Amino acid sequence: MSLPTSAGGVPVLILKEGSSRTRGKEAQYNNMMAAKVVAETVKSALGPKGMDKMLVDSFGDVTITSDGRTILDEMDIQHPAAKMMVEVAKTQDNEAGDGTTTAVIISGALLSEAEDLINKNVHPTIIIDGYKKASERALKILEKIAISVDLNFQGYLKKAAMTSMASKLVAEHREYLGDLAVKAVLQVAEKDVGKYKVDIDDIKVEKKPGESVRGTKLINGVVLDKEVVHSGMPKRVENAKIVLLDSPLEIEKTEFDAKINIESPEQMDAFLKQEEMMLREMVDKITGTGANVVLCQKGLDDMIQHFLSRKGILALRRIKKSDMEKLSKASGGKIVTNLDDVNPGDLGYASLVEERKIGDDKMTFVEGCKNPRAVTILIRGGTERIVDEAERSLHDALCVVRDIVEEPKVVAGGGAPELEVSKELKKYAGTFPGREQLAIERFAEALETIPITLTENAGLDPIDILSELRARHEKGEIWAGIEVNSGKVQDMTKAGVFEPLAVKKQIIKSATEAASMILKIDDVIASGKMKTPPMPPGGAPGGMPGMGGMGPGGGVY
Ligand SMILES: Nc1ncnc2c1ncn2[C@@H]1O[C@H](COP(=O)(O)OP(=O)(O)O)[C@@H](O)[C@H]1O
Ligand SMILES: [Mg+2]
């Protein structure tokens, strides 16, 4: 690039030495390519027949997953535009909790189509405008075809939970886990002016390797990775009345160094007695409320532990703040800071508090709460990897059920909604003149990558299947999709494959947003060195017409 020069012919440097800058088409192509590479990487993981990826981090730790967000998170991506694709996955995950792979693939497809148009001299601004119109229309079409769900019947909730787990390592247990997910979400859902609100954080997920996935349980209460503090305490308390305390049960140490001169054994004795008295008072305050369990966020003095055990009280200490909040929601107890204020009305209730040995560790179950507003799912499974993947799968399932409870609408899957929207968008494109029409059509084409990818991943022929799908949608079969287990095009509502409308809408939003953001960039100024983006086997997909090569100076970081 030529540098601007001052009047005297001396170059004017505004960037630090070692900075690099690419502009115009070159910058656009580089960014588009990096983003497409990312999309290409996750493609093979889409759908029930998608493959898993084995990710090895710099410590040699292995993760096996087919979860889009996890794959991208673990990949340690450096290229700035590729990083924006990682953001797509994150946004999708945070907003909807499922559909991350789909969002990234559609984003990549939108950029592929855009690249083609740019080669035909369509300006990125026109493409961005067209994509915006198309995405708004797509959202309306999805709303229109969506199926309303009556939350009194849990069939759709369970089927959607099962669909979200169909593509995971733990798919064989999806019916069992799906059931747990539905029960957990419905338990913590709160009615808010005619609508439900669900905070997924009210569902605590604990995991311990051992047993099998079938050993996974929903607990109406909270499971704590803690053991009872004192060996003399009971390990099991029925009809538990619980004090939740967020301050330490200790004699406060003075803030400054103080010396007490004790001159006689009597004085020493009196001093210790005084301390003991104070501790006894604390215990009396607790027993005075009728409590038989103490759950404390801070420390418990040794002597207090001893006194409590003598009174037959079970106590745990150093419980996480987030767990204290869940305990409060589950047991109905109030978190108390000052023991002077505690009264029987503040106590929480659980029909059982018990320390149990789970795997190699001791955990404490606070269970059988009455109508708890927080619950726990304790995941079990043969190995650490299974337990981890079960946790990720369950996360998707919980989010999907939440999505439907909050917005009770679903669509069928298997590429059916993508194709239906694509078909409608092609008609819509016809109402626009010239280049904008092209952009809307390309948006429609990009959506077809989903049924195509599902088909390819199942080892089926995408050309035959796509033409059958298109034909059946033309005939008005809205829910015709590719059922990958049978390998046949069929009505996906009959196949029981359902997904939340919210997930599909968010996919359109996140994918369009990311593609537009990348398309808008025509100048990349980098102040440091960047690493090369990851390449799928076989190099860059799709070829790079018009790009200035990939060698040194070619601008691929
Ligand atoms: N039995 C099935 N036949 C065809 N497609 C299915 C089936 N079950 C799920 N799918 C599809 O798989 C896709 C989701 O795959 P998944 O790997 O979970 O990706 P994402 O990260 O996008 O959720 C959806 O399009 C869904 O409709
Ligand atoms: Mg999914």
Side-chain angles (χ1 to χ4, degrees):
M1 96 190 57
S2 65
L3 293 164
T5 51
S6 69
V10 185
V12 180
L13 295 174
I14 58 160
L15 296 175
K16 165 171 108 191
E17 213 179 322
S19 309
S20 65
R21 182 168 183 184
T22 43
R23 281 195 278 192
K25 276 203 171 170
E26 190 183 336
Q28 277 164 356
Y29 282 127
N30 287 344
N31 284 340
M32 282 192 277
M33 186 181 77
K36 283 192 318 184
V37 170
V38 174
E40 204 63 29
T41 313
V42 295
K43 243 184 179 175
S44 67
L46 183 75
K49 297 278 174 178
M51 305 295 271
D52 296 325
K53 302 220 178 261
M54 183 187 256
L55 304 152
V56 187
D57 70 11
S58 49
F59 299 104
D61 286 341
V62 175
T63 306
I64 296 176
T65 186
S66 65
D67 186 63
R69 172 169 184 183
T70 313
I71 296 171
L72 296 178
D73 263 356
E74 297 279 328
M75 265 171 56
D76 193 15
I77 286 172
Q78 295 290 339
H79 190 286
K83 275 190 178 166
M84 289 167 81
M85 297 292 269
V86 181
E87 289 301 313
V88 181
K90 279 196 187 144
T91 316
Q92 181 68 30
D93 199 22
N94 295 340
E95 296 292 324
D98 191 18
T100 48
T101 319
T102 309
V104 172
I105 294 175
I106 293 183
S107 234
L110 287 172
L111 288 167
S112 259
E113 299 290 345
E115 187 183 314
D116 220 30
L117 288 177
I118 292 174
N119 283 335
K120 296 193 168 117
N121 279 326
V122 180
H123 195 273
T125 315
I126 308 270
I127 305 175
I128 293 168
D129 278 354
Y131 279 5
K132 182 156 185 282
K133 291 203 173 78
S135 73
E136 282 164 3
R137 185 71 174 195
L139 295 179
K140 288 206 184 101
I141 300 166
L142 283 171
E143 288 277 2
K144 198 170 137 230
I145 60 174
I147 304 162
S148 290
V149 172
D150 180 348
L151 292 178
N152 291 319
F153 302 99
Q154 297 173 11
Y156 281 117
L157 295 177
K158 189 165 159 196
K159 284 192 178 126
M162 285 170 64
T163 300
S164 78
M165 289 189 282
S167 48
K168 311 282 180 191
L169 216 59
V170 292
E172 58 173 311
H173 304 292
R174 62 183 187 273
E175 174 137 30
Y176 182 72
L177 295 177
D179 233 6
L180 293 187
V182 172
K183 284 197 184 118
V185 172
L186 290 178
Q187 183 60 48
V188 302
E190 282 182 51
K191 200 150 197 170
D192 182 21
V193 278
K195 275 190 160 185
Y196 282 99
K197 283 243 29 99
V198 178
D199 186 350
I200 287 289
D201 286 341
D202 290 341
I203 301 166
K204 181 178 181 190
V205 178
E206 271 285 353
K207 48 183 180 176
K208 271 280 171 261
E211 278 193 46
S212 81
V213 177
R214 285 285 166 151
T216 302
K217 294 245 149 52
L218 171 67
I219 290 104
N220 267 340
V222 180
V223 177
L224 301 159
D225 206 347
K226 295 262 163 210
E227 52 185 289
V228 173
V229 288
H230 191 279
S231 56
M233 287 178 177
K235 303 276 187 259
R236 178 185 165 93
V237 173
E238 282 176 31
N239 276 324
K241 294 177 204 68
I242 308 164
V243 180
L244 297 169
L245 196 64
D246 68 356
S247 57
L249 278 187
E250 288 162 346
I251 307 261
E252 268 179 68
K253 306 275 179 294
T254 47
E255 298 223 341
F256 44 88
D257 272 337
K259 249 194 205 143
I260 302 167
N261 285 324
I262 294 177
E263 280 152 7
S264 66
E266 290 76 36
Q267 257 180 340
M268 180 71 194
D269 211 35
F271 180 74
L272 288 177
K273 278 236 165 65
Q274 175 71 20
E275 236 187 50
E276 195 183 314
M277 272 272 294
M278 288 162 79
L279 293 169
R280 272 187 197 280
E281 259 172 43
M282 289 182 182
V283 175
D284 287 344
K285 278 177 200 151
I286 291 169
T287 48
T289 61
N292 50 14
V293 171
V294 174
L295 301 178
C296 184
Q297 191 183 324
K298 300 280 169 56
L300 293 180
D301 188 277
D302 285 351
M303 197 146 8
I304 283 265
Q305 294 181 20
H306 172 71
F307 292 150
L308 288 172
S309 76
R310 289 235 302 250
K311 301 264 181 197
I313 291 176
L314 180 160
L316 304 186
R317 65 176 167 179
R318 304 208 188 287
I319 297 171
K320 275 193 289 188
K321 186 170 191 302
S322 58
D323 282 343
M324 290 300 289
E325 281 155 13
K326 290 191 182 87
L327 282 164
S328 166
K329 284 187 170 176
S331 69
K334 195 175 134 205
I335 299 176
V336 194
T337 306
N338 189 342
L339 267 187
D340 291 331
D341 303 335
V342 69
N343 64 64
D346 297 336
L347 301 187
Y349 176 82
S351 69
L352 180 64
V353 174
E354 185 177 33
E355 179 194 281
R356 287 178 207 151
K357 194 145 190 252
I358 305 291
D360 295 333
D361 300 298
K362 288 178 181 155
M363 300 181 102
T364 303
F365 288 65
V366 179
E367 64 186 21
C369 298
K370 282 184 196 145
N371 198 17
R373 311 256 38 103
V375 295
T376 305
I377 294 178
L378 175 61
I379 299 179
R380 307 303 311 273
T383 65
E384 194 130 349
R385 270 185 258 300
I386 297 274
V387 177
D388 286 350
E389 182 68 355
E391 181 185 23
R392 286 189 285 271
S393 312
L394 202 59
H395 160 83
D396 286 17
L398 291 169
C399 289
V400 162
V401 179
R402 171 204 60 194
D403 290 345
I404 303 175
V405 170
E406 290 191 343
E407 186 183 1
K409 284 186 177 166
V410 294
V411 294
E418 286 83 3
L419 252 168
E420 182 62 20
V421 171
S422 174
K423 180 198 87 186
E424 291 294 316
L425 278 183
K426 283 179 189 161
K427 286 190 204 151
Y428 178 64
T431 63
F432 289 87
R435 299 184 169 203
E436 224 162 3
Q437 174 175 1
L438 286 182
I440 298 171
E441 266 169 13
R442 293 305 183 115
F443 191 102
E445 300 272 333
L447 294 179
E448 288 186 345
T449 18
I450 297 308
I452 293 173
T453 308
L454 285 170
T455 309
E456 281 174 350
N457 287 351
L460 304 166
D461 178 16
I463 301 178
D464 288 352
I465 304 263
L466 190 63
S467 46
E468 186 180 349
L469 278 172
R470 279 182 179 154
R472 287 174 68 165
H473 277 261
E474 273 311 321
K475 275 194 261 159
E477 280 188 54
I478 299 180
W479 300 120
I482 171 69
E483 205 291 304
V484 294
N485 296 315
S486 63
K488 298 253 165 20
V489 171
Q490 73 170 90
D491 182 335
M492 294 306 288
T493 59
K494 303 240 162 69
V497 176
F498 291 103
E499 295 176 87
L501 172 65
V503 168
K504 291 289 170 191
K505 286 201 296 190
Q506 187 58 44
I507 288 171
I508 299 284
K509 288 186 213 159
S510 350
T512 315
E513 206 170 277
S516 306
M517 205 151 37
I518 292 172
L519 278 174
K520 257 192 199 141
I521 303 167
D522 77 339
D523 197 350
V524 176
I525 304 163
S527 59
K529 262 218 126 3
M530 283 179 286
K531 292 183 199 157
T532 327
M535 287 287 168
M544 287 296 300
M547 207 192 91
M550 284 175 44
V556 180
Y557 314 106

